[in-house]
Amino acid sequence: MKAVVSTQPGGPETLEIVDLDSPEPGPKQVVLEVKAIGVNFPDSLIIEDRYQFKPERPFSPGGEVSGIVTKVGAEVTSLKEGQRVIGSCGWGGFREELEIDANRCIPIPDEMPFDEASAFILTYGTSYYGLKRRGDPKPGETLFILGAAGGVGVAAIELGKAMGLKVIAACSTQEKVDFCLSKGADVGLVYPTGELDRGQQKELSNQIKEISGGGVDIVYDAVGGDYAEPTLRALNWEGRYLVIGFPAGIPKIPLNLTLLKSCDIRGVFWGAWVRQFPDQYETDVKELFDFYKEGKIKPHVSKTFPLDQAGDAIKHLSDRKATGKVVVLT
């Protein structure tokens, strides 16, 4: 089988395509014939040794896949050969075949195609955990999403609307804002790109307050950097600021703002929560599939790449060219 591997720290251009022996499952594992791999921001971090997990090299990036079970370990009773599943592997997904613990696989509905399945659980799981369990949303509240055109951002738009929230989508271009409006956002805002000086930060905060009618209740920040403080300043009393990611850099927040607004800054580490609370995770997954079947959420796959262009797929995402999800097909 073919696999895309990282043999040294670096950008997508350092990835190599190699031939490997087909894997065999351990007692509690299955082997998947991988059909599609969702590309996510951690893929660009993990190959540069900038992610919180640093697997031993050589390894494949790719944290979520979809495929067909081809082999089943001796102790596995929950899955069978021929079953269509999503696999949450953390890394290792950019390959044609993958051995994975059976308890990290989720059967997928017959009506869900492989590309959408590979783009489903990480983005919607993150956004649902963030909004439902960390954001404490109340119908009628206002949700402000930074980086709304990305995978988790689009998921947050759809889930926010399903929860009865008013959704403001903030993006770097009008084209991306228009895309978010087509996905259900109520209002859009274009923010400036690059480093922001104090004047630009103040102006952004004022724009958020104006467009929201005075302030927002929940900030979903998938960008970080110089955008964090102005969005925090636009929070209402007892608002909730959700920390999702930092493609623009890790921000430094003046904590006096939390005192003045009696607001919360809440981290959203979905992967760690899944491991600690598997029963709650199982409940959320069921609810997400219900949303999918009801047509309330649907992964938007904006671009696909073949496996031998996996590095280009990661670069396309890290260069912020994507709207929705980027997927690699085997």
Side-chain angles (χ1 to χ4, degrees):
M1 68 155 181
K2 294 194 178 300
V4 176
V5 300
S6 172
T7 59
Q8 59 181 315
E13 71 283 353
T14 64
L15 295 173
E16 301 177 17
I17 302 174
V18 299
D19 289 305
L20 299 175
D21 292 335
S22 293
E24 293 293 329
K28 298 182 179 181
Q29 293 184 314
V30 297
V31 171
L32 304 182
E33 177 188 348
V34 176
K35 294 294 188 180
I37 308 104
V39 184
N40 297 286
F41 185 63
D43 295 325
S44 65
L45 299 178
I46 201 168
I47 62 176
E48 296 180 7
D49 286 351
R50 295 194 295 126
Y51 197 49
Q52 52 258 49
F53 302 112
K54 294 180 172 60
E56 183 179 349
R57 286 187 169 84
F59 71 89
S60 296
E64 59 176 343
V65 306
S66 64
I68 300 171
V69 177
T70 58
K71 299 178 184 178
V72 178
E75 299 180 19
V76 175
T77 58
S78 58
L79 298 172
K80 59 184 179 181
E81 292 183 10
Q83 202 160 6
R84 303 167 74 250
V85 299
I86 297 169
S88 299
C89 48
W91 60 85
F94 282 99
R95 52 185 61 203
E96 293 177 325
E97 298 177 73
L98 172 69
E99 73 274 25
I100 183 172
D101 292 348
N103 63 7
R104 303 193 73 174
C105 294
I106 305 168
I108 57 178
D110 292 339
E111 64 268 23
M112 180 179 277
F114 285 117
D115 60 344
E116 290 185 8
S118 74
F120 188 73
I121 201 64
L122 195 151
T123 49
Y124 286 95
T126 297
S127 293
Y128 199 41
Y129 166 63
L131 293 176
K132 173 186 173 182
R133 299 188 181 274
R134 303 295 288 153
D136 294 333
K138 303 169 187 63
E141 288 190 322
T142 300
L143 167 65
F144 182 84
I145 304 171
L146 270 171
V152 292
V154 174
I157 291 172
E158 294 179 330
L159 291 168
K161 293 305 297 179
M163 294 175 176
L165 303 177
K166 176 184 178 182
V167 176
I168 302 174
C171 308
S172 59
T173 68
Q174 186 61 48
E175 180 183 8
K176 289 182 177 180
V177 165
D178 292 342
F179 165 72
C180 291
L181 294 174
S182 76
K183 301 304 288 186
D186 297 289
V187 189
L189 181 151
V190 179
Y191 52 69
T193 58
E195 295 184 4
L196 306 184
D197 59 30
R198 297 302 297 176
Q200 289 174 306
Q201 288 183 321
K202 184 176 181 181
E203 174 61 23
L204 177 58
S205 184
N206 289 338
Q207 284 181 309
I208 298 169
K209 292 176 183 177
E210 181 178 356
I211 201 170
S212 63
V216 301
D217 302 294
I218 304 170
V219 168
Y220 183 102
D221 184 4
V223 177
D226 292 341
Y227 304 93
E229 184 178 330
T231 57
L232 183 66
R233 288 181 179 275
L235 272 179
N236 288 329
W237 179 260
E238 294 187 345
R240 288 81 71 199
Y241 175 99
L242 305 180
V243 181
I244 309 298
F246 322 103
I250 298 176
K252 296 180 179 179
I253 300 292
L255 289 182
N256 65 303
L257 296 177
T258 62
L259 182 151
L260 294 172
K261 294 176 175 289
S262 196
C263 64
D264 294 345
I265 298 175
R266 302 182 182 183
V268 178
F269 192 174
W270 174 73
W273 171 78
V274 168
R275 290 188 293 274
Q276 292 185 60
F277 302 98
D279 292 344
Q280 294 180 28
Y281 168 63
E282 186 176 331
T283 297
D284 282 9
V285 169
K286 181 184 181 302
E287 291 174 358
L288 287 173
F289 278 127
D290 287 343
F291 283 144
Y292 180 84
K293 291 174 182 177
E294 294 165 5
K296 293 180 179 178
I297 62 176
K298 180 179 174 64
H300 180 88
V301 178
S302 60
K303 193 170 181 64
T304 61
F305 292 80
L307 184 63
D308 60 4
Q309 295 177 23
D312 294 333
I314 294 175
K315 187 175 189 303
H316 182 80
L317 182 68
S318 58
D319 287 346
R320 302 187 196 178
K321 295 180 179 178
T323 53
K325 287 286 290 191
V326 177
V327 169
V328 169
L329 303 175
T330 61

